[in-house]
């Protein structure tokens, strides 16, 4: 079987897998990183969202061969040793989750959105997040949490600049 | 007060049993009624702890109810912490380490009753521990207990402000006598510091960092990954399969033909494949060729059911409810009779976490030495225990059960089908096996919310008062179907509130398994009955709210003291409140925009909702806002309660807009999200929830806010357009979202 190397959350990983094995299953079953979730396997639910070179991506549709040599970020790598990511903090303080199963994917999409757009409107949020299904219907809180993470980020920036 | 008895526990036995470290005050409860041989349960071996106040200041509370997103793992401990006088940040909550109803009480969840059932027990736990800590504080401070108070994890002497922490007192508290249950005084509501506030779920951190431990995330050393293929038509028997070829495929370790017992909720015939990753077994499965004997398999067809419903005669139905004299009220020429026909489809549970289970079966020297360790996403641990004994002959002491957090359940994870498949694969491979269903497996193999039809007649007297209700329910049936799902339920509104009522039932044989789905029966009956009440009000030329209030009548509790009986005073309360908050009667609306009202009572909850909806010329639906008024007594966790109401409303909307499961020749036609539209964030309405925190005991919110949603939206569409919605889903009527 061929070998593929790539970086996951900043550390180099090498796996032996068939070229077409989706990255989702490489992460979950070969590397034991089960934060990215399996929901539909056809790119419709967003539970498996990761970042490929900073872009949100459905890992259930990404063959491991295409990930070779690339930078992958998953939910497990979002917080540093010292602190949670602003988006994670907002998710906790808004108590977004119900079952929580979709939330890793939601958070990865939200982080990618905020990296491009530091102060998204409701419409921006709706269009960036429409690919992430929440069976429990936590959408109102997702919107709120993204707004409050955006605010927290800009306050941080002001503090740094001052 | 509950029937439970609190006991202290011998610490040595406790440690042996659970491996939990740290000393302090440990309280457990026992259920005297299940004492063995007429003897009370023996403390040292039979009890277990629900609460532990540790000397490091942490307060550990066990949660026995499975968590599936309903928030019970947070709300029950909040009750204990409140009575105890704990600081919430000192509380650690853990899932009970094993399934044992003798120790932990009821370890199942469902029907939105978990909170109600545990309310008194949780308060007793907290108040008992508090009294013992106060006793310890009195000894140390040498003051009367009555001069002390418990708050913020401290025992404080009111006069001198001297205080000791729970941690400091825990050891001594353990040696205090256990107060008599009848001597316990619960806190008054106005003194609450934790209850009624918003607390983020206790597992929030794990969820947002991706380490939340769902069943599907189970990792066990040497574990294999498995899948299981069944006949697409339920009941197909296996004849042969090319398993030798499948075994040769990359990543496959082994493949097996499995014979089941023919019960869809236990074990059906199939082919199991185990391998080195979930993907490798999914992939191998594509090469699987199975010959099925479908002679006895389901031939279920939605279109056949539809034609049956169109032609079945009232005379061929069986009366299930008969109150007053419906024939005379229909026959009375002064009365007006209105007739309608309603339809609602089968729908899927669609839990985002697909069905899965991890099992490790180890063979013993003899059958009674066999052992099964299982990582089980289930709403009902004890039901699995019974199944393990009846189907596999495994007794309680041969089982180690880990109840896993669930990525949604909504009534789905009550069966043992996905569980037995995992066990079969572990038995055959001799290895721990994590079995995962694909999304397609999860949709094809669901126990659906059943669809059906209602022919319904309402009778108005000359004053426009509703005096008769005649409903002909047309539903599906198959051998072994749980009876409660079908209806009609005599206790349901408005059967319980009208003078002359008949409800009859015709059934059609349809072998598609059905099961509990968020607010069983109510989820469709509310749509039919509350839309039809609006039709009747319009027919009579009357205001909908006033018409509903007239049906409810005088403020009274239909069966005083019974939480499951309609209390019209509370119903009137939520109706008036929702009308006020939504501006129901006042707000001038644009062309093509309308407000719709609906009320329903189920799961001990009185809920009224108003939908604010616009319909464009090309039938595009925009749901602007849902206003809800809810009376479930005092709120435990405000954030959790709001989350459940918001979620139920989104669920109701998602379902009514475009969801429909159809079957042809026994095969489910919609098998993944590309064929089954779901509500996305861009269609999510604003939701405005108002709780009436009455003084009744608190009850649960996992389900009751869902049923009124569909009729509220349907009634709003009528208000906006003059077109009636008598069929779900909306996209079949040409509406788009
Ligand atoms: S699992 Fe990848 S989008 Fe659903
Ligand atoms: S929180 Fe359950 S699916 Fe989103």
């Amino acid at each position: 079987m061929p070998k593929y190397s790539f970086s996951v959350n900043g550390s180099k990983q090498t796996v032996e897998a068939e070229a077409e094995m989706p990255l989702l299953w490489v992460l979950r079953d070969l590397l034991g990183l089960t934060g990215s979730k399996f929901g539909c396997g056809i790119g419709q639910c967003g539970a498996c969202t990761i970042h490929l070179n900073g872009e949100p991506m459905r890992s259930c549709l990404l063959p491991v061969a295409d990930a070779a040599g690339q930078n992958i970020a998953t939910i497990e790598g979002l917080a540093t040793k010292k602190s949670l990511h602003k988006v994670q903090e907002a998710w906790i303080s808004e108590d977004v989750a119900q079952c929580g199963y979709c939330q890793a994917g939601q958070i990865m999409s939200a982080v990618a959105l905020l990296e491009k757009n530091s102060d998204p409107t409701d419409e921006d949020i709706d269009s960036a997040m429409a690919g992430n299904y929440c069976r429990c219907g936590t959408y109102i809180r997702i919107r709120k949490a993204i707004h409050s993470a955006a605010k927290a980020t800009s306050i941080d920036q002001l503090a740094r600049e001052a | 007060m509950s029937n439970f008895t609190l006991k202290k526990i011998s610490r040595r036995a406790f440690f042996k049993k659970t491996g939990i470290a740290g000393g302090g005050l440990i309280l457990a409860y026992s259920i005297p009624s299940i004492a063995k041989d007429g003897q009370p349960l023996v403390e040292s071996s039979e009890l277990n702890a629900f609460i532990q106040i540790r000397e490091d200041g942490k307060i550990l509370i066990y949660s026995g109810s499975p968590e599936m997103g309903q928030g019970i793992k947070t709300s029950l401990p909040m009750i204990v912490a409140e009575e105890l006088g704990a600081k919430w940040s000192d509380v650690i909550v853990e899932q009970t380490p094993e399934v044992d109803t003798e120790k932990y009480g009821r370890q199942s969840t469902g029907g939105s009753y978990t909170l109600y059932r545990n309310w008194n027990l949780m308060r007793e736990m907290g108040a008992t521990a508090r009294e013992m800590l106060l006793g310890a504080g009195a000894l140390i401070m040498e003051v009367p207990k009555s001069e002390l108070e418990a708050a913020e994890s401290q025992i404080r002497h009111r006069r001198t402000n001297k205080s000791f922490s729970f941690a400091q007192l825990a050891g001594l508290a353990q040696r205090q006598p256990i107060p008599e249950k009848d001597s316990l005084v619960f806190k008054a509501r106005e003194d609450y510091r934790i209850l009624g506030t918003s607390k983020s779920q206790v597992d929030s951190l794990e969820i947002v960092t991706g380490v939340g431990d769902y069943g599907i995330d189970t990792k066990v050393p040497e574990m294999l990954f498995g899948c299981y293929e069944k006949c697409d038509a339920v009941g197909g028997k296996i004849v042969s399969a090319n398993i030798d070829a499948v075994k040769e495929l990359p990543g496959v370790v082994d493949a097996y033909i499995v014979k089941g017992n023919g019960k869809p909720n236990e074990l059906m015939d199939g082919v199991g494949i185990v391998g080195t990753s979930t993907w490798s077994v999914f992939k191998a499965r594509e090469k699987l060729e199975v010959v099925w004997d479908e002679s006895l398999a389901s031939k279920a067809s939605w279109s056949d059911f539809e034609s049956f419903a169109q032609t079945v005669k009232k005379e061929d139905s069986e009366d299930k409810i008969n109150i007053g004299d419906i024939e005379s009220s229909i026959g009375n020429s002064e009365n007006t009779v209105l007739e309608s026909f309603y339809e609602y489809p089968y729908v899927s549970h669609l839990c985002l976490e697909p069905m899965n289970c991890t099992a490790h079966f180890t063979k013993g020297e003899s059958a009674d030495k066999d052992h099964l360790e299982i990582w089980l996403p289930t709403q009902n641990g004890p039901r699995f225990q019974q199944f393990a004994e009846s189907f596999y002959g495994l007794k309680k002491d041969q089982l180690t059960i880990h109840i896993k957090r669930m990525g949604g359940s909504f009534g789905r994870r009550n069966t043992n089908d996905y569980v037995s498949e995992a066990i079969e694969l572990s038995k055959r491979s001799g290895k721990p096996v994590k079995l995962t269903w694909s999304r397609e497996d999860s949709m094809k193999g669901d126990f659906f919310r059943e669809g059906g039809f209602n022919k319904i007649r309402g009778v108005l007297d000359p004053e426009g008062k509703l005096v008769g209700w005649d409903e002909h329910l047309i539903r599906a049936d198959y051998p072994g179907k749980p009876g409660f799902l079908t209806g009609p339920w005599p206790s349901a509104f408005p059967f319980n509130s009208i003078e002359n009522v008949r409800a009859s039932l015709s059934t059609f044989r349809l072998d598609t398994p059905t099961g509990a789905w968020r607010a069983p029966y109510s989820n469709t009956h509310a749509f039919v009955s509350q839309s039809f009440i609006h039709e009747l009000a319009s027919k009579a030329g009357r205001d909908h709210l006033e018409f509903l209030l007239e049906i409810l009548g005088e403020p009274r509790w239909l069966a005083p003291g019974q939480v499951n009986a309609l209390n019209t005073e509370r119903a009137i309360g939520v109706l008036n409140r929702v009308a006020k908050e939504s501006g129901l009667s006042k707000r001038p609306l644009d062309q093509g925009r309308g407000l719709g009202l609906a009320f329903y009572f189920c799961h001990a909850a009185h809920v009224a909702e108003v939908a604010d909806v616009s319909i464009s010329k090309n039938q595009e639906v925009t749901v602007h806002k849902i206003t809800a008024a809810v009376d479930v007594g005092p709120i435990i966790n405000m954030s959790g309660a709001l989350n459940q109401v918001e979620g139920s409303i989104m669920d109701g909307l998602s379902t009514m807009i475009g969801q429909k499961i159809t079957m042809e020749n026994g095969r489910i036609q919609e098998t993944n999200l590309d064929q089954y539209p779901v509500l996305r964030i861009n269609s999510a309405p604003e939701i405005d929830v108002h709780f009436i925190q009455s003084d009744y005991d608190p009850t649960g919110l996992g389900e009751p806010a869902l049923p009124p949603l569909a009729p509220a939206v349907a009634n709003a569409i009528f208000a906006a357009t003059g077109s009636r919605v008598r069929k779900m889903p909306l996209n079949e009527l040409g509406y788009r979202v």
Side-chain angles (χ1 to χ4, degrees):
Chain A
M1 243 187 286
K3 279 193 180 162
Y4 299 97
S5 298
F6 40 81
S7 144
V8 181
N9 301 326
S11 67
K12 193 184 157 196
Q13 299 282 357
T14 303
V15 294
E16 238 179 86
E18 282 183 79
E20 50 174 333
M21 183 166 183
L23 184 66
L24 173 66
W25 296 113
V26 170
L27 291 169
R28 290 183 56 81
D29 291 356
L30 305 188
L31 298 174
L33 291 171
T34 50
S36 309
K37 297 294 191 255
F38 168 53
C40 68
I42 60 165
Q44 292 276 327
C45 74
C48 64
T49 305
I50 51 109
H51 293 176
L52 181 74
N53 304 325
E55 291 293 325
M57 196 66 73
R58 308 287 179 242
S59 64
C60 69
L61 295 181
L62 181 70
V64 61
D66 292 355
Q70 317 288 315
N71 286 318
I72 288 147
T74 70
I75 187 77
E76 288 95 339
L78 208 51
T80 63
K81 279 219 174 62
K82 282 205 229 100
S83 67
L84 292 177
H85 190 280
K86 288 279 173 293
V87 171
Q88 291 171 312
E89 273 173 8
W91 243 250
I92 294 177
S93 56
E94 296 295 342
D95 192 24
V96 173
Q98 284 180 39
C99 84
Y101 193 76
C102 71
Q103 302 297 349
Q106 305 278 5
I107 290 172
M108 293 310 280
S109 291
V111 168
L113 164 67
L114 288 172
E115 270 161 20
K116 286 215 183 69
N117 179 349
S118 59
D119 189 18
T121 62
D122 275 353
E123 290 69 43
D124 298 335
I125 292 173
D126 283 1
S127 72
M129 303 294 295
N132 286 86
Y133 171 49
C134 177
R135 169 63 178 94
C136 302
T138 61
Y139 297 128
I140 295 175
R141 291 173 185 227
I142 289 172
R143 276 192 207 128
K144 253 198 232 156
I146 293 177
H147 285 307
S148 81
K151 215 177 276 159
T153 315
S154 63
I155 290 170
D156 263 18
Q157 255 155 18
L158 285 178
R160 240 176 287 136
E161 281 158 22
Chain B
M1 289 266 165
S2 72
N3 297 321
F4 300 100
T5 307
L6 284 169
K7 293 214 177 174
K8 264 187 301 191
I9 190 159
S10 130
R11 258 179 283 164
R12 255 186 50 232
F14 174 64
F15 298 146
K16 206 169 73 205
K17 225 43 206 170
T18 67
I20 283 184
L25 170 61
I26 299 172
L27 278 179
Y29 75 85
S30 71
I31 309 165
S33 58
I34 53 158
K36 293 204 179 82
D37 314 322
Q39 297 297 310
L41 292 172
V42 186
E43 257 191 34
S44 57
S45 63
E46 294 294 341
L47 292 178
N48 215 324
F50 233 80
I51 177 175
Q52 177 188 25
I53 297 165
R54 298 198 315 215
E55 280 154 351
D56 67 1
K58 288 294 176 199
I59 298 160
L60 176 70
I61 300 175
Y62 275 137
S63 171
S65 291
E67 175 65 50
M68 52 189 178
Q70 84 281 40
I72 203 75
K73 193 174 171 185
T74 307
S75 51
L76 293 186
M78 282 175 77
I79 305 171
V80 179
E82 179 69 71
E83 281 301 334
L84 179 61
K87 201 199 284 171
W88 181 245
S89 54
D90 292 338
V91 173
I92 308 171
V93 182
E94 278 180 20
Q95 199 74 43
T96 42
E98 58 187 333
V99 173
D100 189 336
T101 45
E102 289 180 22
K103 288 184 195 159
Y104 299 109
R106 199 184 274 269
Q107 287 177 292
S108 59
T109 188
S112 299
Y113 291 130
T114 317
L115 173 64
Y116 178 70
R117 247 188 232 127
N118 285 287
W119 167 238
N120 277 330
L121 174 63
M122 295 297 124
R123 290 198 295 173
E124 280 169 32
M125 283 312 291
T128 301
R130 177 192 68 214
E131 287 309 309
M132 293 165 76
L133 287 160
L134 287 169
L139 279 180
I140 284 195
M141 292 187 245
E142 296 179 323
V143 294
K145 212 170 128 187
S146 58
E147 293 180 9
L148 299 174
E149 66 179 18
E152 296 288 293
S153 304
Q154 304 269 339
I155 298 294
R156 195 177 67 90
H157 185 228
R158 269 188 231 102
R159 200 151 38 78
T160 60
N161 221 5
K162 235 176 39 186
S163 68
F164 283 81
S165 70
F166 284 5
Q168 290 170 308
L169 296 173
L172 184 57
Q174 173 75 8
R175 297 193 291 276
Q176 296 304 300
I178 294 189
E180 287 300 320
K181 195 159 73 176
D182 297 339
S183 73
L184 296 174
V185 179
F186 295 144
K187 269 192 181 173
R189 262 172 79 183
E190 48 281 13
D191 297 332
Y192 285 168
R193 296 180 181 213
I194 295 174
L195 296 189
T197 66
S198 283
K199 298 289 179 230
S200 191
Q201 273 201 61
V202 292
D203 289 335
S204 283
L205 180 64
E206 286 78 8
I207 290 169
V208 305
T209 50
V211 299
D213 201 11
Y214 298 86
I216 205 168
D217 302 334
T218 303
K219 299 175 194 93
V220 182
E222 293 198 45
M223 179 177 84
L224 295 175
F225 300 84
C227 69
Y228 193 83
E229 164 110 350
K230 294 185 285 267
C231 182
D232 278 347
V234 179
K237 286 201 173 10
I238 196 157
V239 178
S240 62
N242 63 337
I243 55 169
D244 290 332
V246 168
K247 285 180 197 174
E248 299 307 314
L249 295 169
V252 172
V253 172
D254 212 343
Y256 321 94
I257 289 180
V258 178
K259 298 274 184 196
N261 69 352
K263 293 188 183 159
N265 58 349
E266 296 190 345
L267 180 66
M268 300 299 275
D269 280 14
V271 176
I273 308 173
V274 291
T276 54
S277 73
T278 308
W279 182 75
S280 60
V281 294
F282 280 2
K283 188 85 184 131
R285 197 172 154 186
E286 292 170 11
K287 297 274 180 328
L288 186 63
E289 288 162 19
V290 188
V291 179
W292 299 103
D293 168 5
E294 293 193 29
S295 51
L296 294 175
S298 167
K299 307 280 184 297
S301 150
W302 171 257
S303 44
D304 288 353
F305 186 24
E306 257 181 330
S307 5
F308 171 81
Q310 296 294 342
T311 52
V312 66
K313 297 264 178 321
K314 180 100 203 176
E315 301 80 71
D316 301 331
S317 65
E318 189 190 337
D319 278 9
K320 295 283 181 185
I321 302 172
N322 210 328
I323 304 163
D325 184 353
I326 186 72
E327 283 303 340
S328 329
S329 110
I330 291 171
N332 183 340
S333 60
E334 298 199 340
N335 289 344
T336 309
V337 179
L338 181 69
E339 180 169 333
S340 280
F341 185 80
Y342 281 84
E343 173 185 333
Y344 38 89
Y346 279 64
V347 297
S348 170
H349 286 88
L350 207 78
C351 310
L352 195 55
E353 178 191 15
M355 297 306 112
N356 66 86
C357 179
T358 304
H360 189 195
F361 183 89
T362 36
K363 196 115 205 66
E365 289 149 28
S366 54
D368 60 341
K369 297 275 173 353
D370 291 346
H371 188 264
L372 176 68
E373 184 166 9
I374 194 154
W375 292 262
L376 183 60
T378 186
Q379 283 184 239
N380 200 329
R383 182 174 298 166
F384 166 70
Q385 271 180 335
Q386 290 156 13
F387 172 71
E389 174 145 19
S390 66
F391 193 74
Y392 288 109
L394 292 164
K395 299 244 160 31
K396 212 170 94 178
D397 61 353
Q398 295 170 275
L399 298 171
T400 305
I401 305 173
H402 311 277
I403 298 284
K404 304 301 283 188
R405 184 182 181 91
M406 288 167 273
S409 184
F410 311 101
R412 172 63 184 89
R413 295 182 222 259
N414 271 308
T415 55
N416 287 304
D417 44 349
Y418 53 95
V419 185
S420 62
E421 291 167 12
I423 298 171
E424 293 296 325
L425 298 192
S426 177
K427 266 188 142 172
R428 284 172 169 75
S429 64
K431 290 270 166 49
V433 175
K434 173 158 71 179
L435 172 98
T436 304
W437 283 18
S438 63
R439 172 57 50 200
E440 289 78 7
D441 292 331
S442 302
M443 285 188 74
K444 288 191 241 178
D446 203 351
F447 290 74
F448 300 94
R449 193 286 302 275
E450 73 178 69
F453 308 84
N454 287 46
K455 288 179 178 173
I456 184 166
R457 285 192 290 182
V459 187
L460 298 162
D461 75 6
E463 272 74 59
K465 184 177 183 232
L466 178 61
V467 291
W469 187 277
D470 185 19
E471 183 172 319
H472 178 193
L473 186 60
I474 302 152
R475 297 293 278 250
D477 202 9
Y478 60 87
K481 182 184 162 191
F484 76 97
L485 295 171
T486 308
W489 292 2
S491 61
F493 181 75
F495 299 140
N496 53 14
S497 305
I498 303 171
E499 231 175 284
N500 306 295
V501 180
R502 178 169 57 193
S504 65
L505 177 69
S506 299
T507 52
F508 180 75
R509 171 79 186 257
L510 198 77
D511 288 348
T512 297
T514 53
W517 188 100
R518 203 173 208 165
Y521 178 70
S522 307
N523 53 31
T524 54
H525 185 253
F527 166 61
V528 174
S529 61
Q530 303 313 302
S531 302
F532 191 59
I533 283 179
H534 187 219
E535 285 200 59
L536 289 161
S538 313
K539 176 89 184 168
R542 296 182 55 191
D543 176 69
H544 186 193
L545 174 62
E546 183 231 339
F547 191 70
L548 265 171
L549 293 174
E550 182 179 87
I551 297 170
L552 288 163
E554 290 301 305
R556 69 208 187 282
W557 199 348
L558 297 194
Q562 282 186 32
V563 73
N564 283 318
L566 177 73
N567 183 328
T568 59
E569 184 176 10
R570 300 174 80 181
I572 295 162
V574 293
L575 273 163
N576 285 328
R577 181 71 180 269
V578 84
K580 179 173 146 240
E581 303 289 351
S582 64
L584 185 63
S585 51
K586 303 200 252 318
R587 197 133 57 91
L589 294 174
D590 305 338
Q591 186 69 346
R593 188 163 178 172
L595 298 180
L597 168 72
F599 162 77
Y600 205 67
F601 171 73
C602 61
H603 303 277
H606 300 78
V607 184
E609 290 172 13
V610 167
D612 175 356
V613 177
S614 286
I615 310 287
S616 74
K617 286 214 173 56
N618 54 5
Q619 284 197 294
E620 212 165 312
V621 181
T622 309
V623 181
H624 302 283
K625 183 175 175 180
I626 305 292
T627 309
V630 179
D631 183 353
V632 285
I635 297 301
I636 305 298
N637 181 2
M638 184 53 80
S639 173
L642 286 167
N643 226 339
Q644 290 308 308
V645 175
E646 291 163 4
S648 300
I649 285 172
M650 297 290 182
D651 193 1
L653 194 55
S654 187
T655 308
M656 87 176 296
I657 288 171
Q659 295 181 1
K660 179 174 185 171
I661 292 288
T662 56
M663 53 303 265
E664 288 310 326
N665 197 25
R667 286 161 165 77
I668 303 305
Q669 304 294 301
E670 297 75 19
T671 60
N672 207 325
L673 288 177
D674 51 347
Q675 298 146 348
Y676 193 77
V678 294
L679 187 86
R680 305 280 177 166
I681 193 169
N682 50 340
S683 310
E686 187 193 338
I687 296 177
D688 181 23
V689 184
H690 302 269
F691 290 112
I692 297 181
Q693 298 203 44
S694 57
D695 280 322
Y696 298 92
D697 280 353
T699 57
L701 270 173
E703 299 165 275
L706 179 132
L709 184 278
V713 171
N715 295 340
I717 292 176
F718 178 78
T721 63
S723 302
R724 275 289 161 202
V725 174
R726 299 195 186 90
K727 179 179 181 171
M728 293 203 282
L730 290 175
N731 62 358
E732 294 217 334
L733 300 171
Y735 293 104
R736 296 183 302 118
V737 174

